[in-house]
């Protein structure tokens, strides 16, 4: 039996309204995140009331995976050209917020899954 929104409550975290201001010719399709969210709701896979905007990952959260110097350079926009190329996006304050929200979505989905058995993160990353 296909599980649908009418047969279960599945919490789903999304961040598609935190958009990166990318150049028109950038290869990354940011719109895919909002299209996915719209589709899972339209097809009844996720109920609108089960969609959640995550909190941003805190400095404490981020420091579990990155050193303080790197975090400071990300926040202040002082990354090297090599680091920016590795990230794949130009540095902007919106990139920092989107990254924090995407990480926050992963952590939130994990926390819910530990209690409820499963959850989704549509934020990518």
């Amino acid at each position: 039996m296909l599980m649908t929104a009418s047969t279960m409550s599945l919490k789903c975290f999304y961040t598609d309204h935190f958009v990166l201001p990318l150049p028109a010719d950038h290869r990354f399709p940011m719109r895919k995140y909002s299209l996915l969210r719209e589709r899972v709701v339209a097809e009844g896979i996720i109920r609108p009331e089960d969609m959640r905007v995550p909190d941003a990952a805190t400095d404490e959260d981020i420091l579990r995976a990155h050193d303080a110097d790197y975090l400071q350079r990300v926040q202040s926009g002082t990354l090297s050209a090599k680091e920016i190329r590795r990230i794949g996006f130009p540095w902007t304050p919106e990139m920092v917020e989107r990254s924090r929200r995407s990480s926050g979505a992963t952590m939130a989905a994990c926390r819910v899954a530990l209690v409820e058995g499963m959850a989704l993160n549509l934020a990518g990353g």
Side-chain angles (χ1 to χ4, degrees), residues 96-108:
V96 175
E97 182 66 15
R98 170 72 187 200
S99 298
R100 284 181 176 273
R101 295 293 178 146
S102 294
S103 296
T106 297
M107 292 183 296

Side-chain angles (χ1 to χ4, degrees), residues 55-58 61 64 100 102-112 121:
D55 290 333
T58 65
D61 296 328
R64 290 183 178 132
R100 284 181 176 273
S102 294
S103 296
T106 297
M107 292 183 296
C110 288
R111 288 182 187 113
V112 169
N121 171 17

